[in-house]
Amino acid sequence: MINITIDNPDIEQILQQTYGNNHSRLIKEFSQFVQSTKIKDDISISIQQFERGESVKLADAFAQVKRNYEE
């Protein structure tokens, strides 16, 4: 388990106003944010690799993606 401390009163107030005491919703939405950020980063890296000519076979790419996100 990871505990996150927020030292910014403005952000803390926004979170309190948005989620109140609904910690499960906050955790779910934060998890989705982290996952989507990771996916966006992976896509960006893939585009850069492709532009450098570092492409791989489509089947290999899908196999790697499947391994990364099924763990």
Side-chain angles (χ1 to χ4, degrees):
M1 176 178 223
I2 297 175
N3 291 316
I4 298 173
T5 302
I6 298 172
D7 292 331
N8 183 320
D10 295 330
I11 294 175
E12 186 175 0
Q13 182 179 9
I14 291 168
L15 292 173
Q16 182 61 38
Q17 288 173 346
T18 304
Y19 300 101
N21 291 326
N22 191 343
H23 298 286
S24 61
R25 181 174 161 224
L26 173 60
I27 291 167
K28 179 182 176 185
E29 290 190 24
F30 181 73
S31 296
Q32 290 172 341
F33 167 76
V34 170
Q35 288 174 342
S36 68
T37 300
K38 174 68 174 138
I39 291 168
K40 288 175 187 175
D41 290 347
D42 288 349
I43 290 170
S44 176
I45 290 169
S46 296
I47 290 169
Q48 292 170 13
Q49 290 171 329
F50 179 76
E51 288 173 345
R52 291 191 304 258
E54 300 172 1
S55 59
V56 296
K57 293 180 181 178
L58 187 59
D60 294 339
F62 277 110
Q64 180 63 40
V65 168
K66 187 176 178 181
R67 281 193 301 272
N68 287 345
Y69 293 102
E70 287 185 340
E71 295 176 351

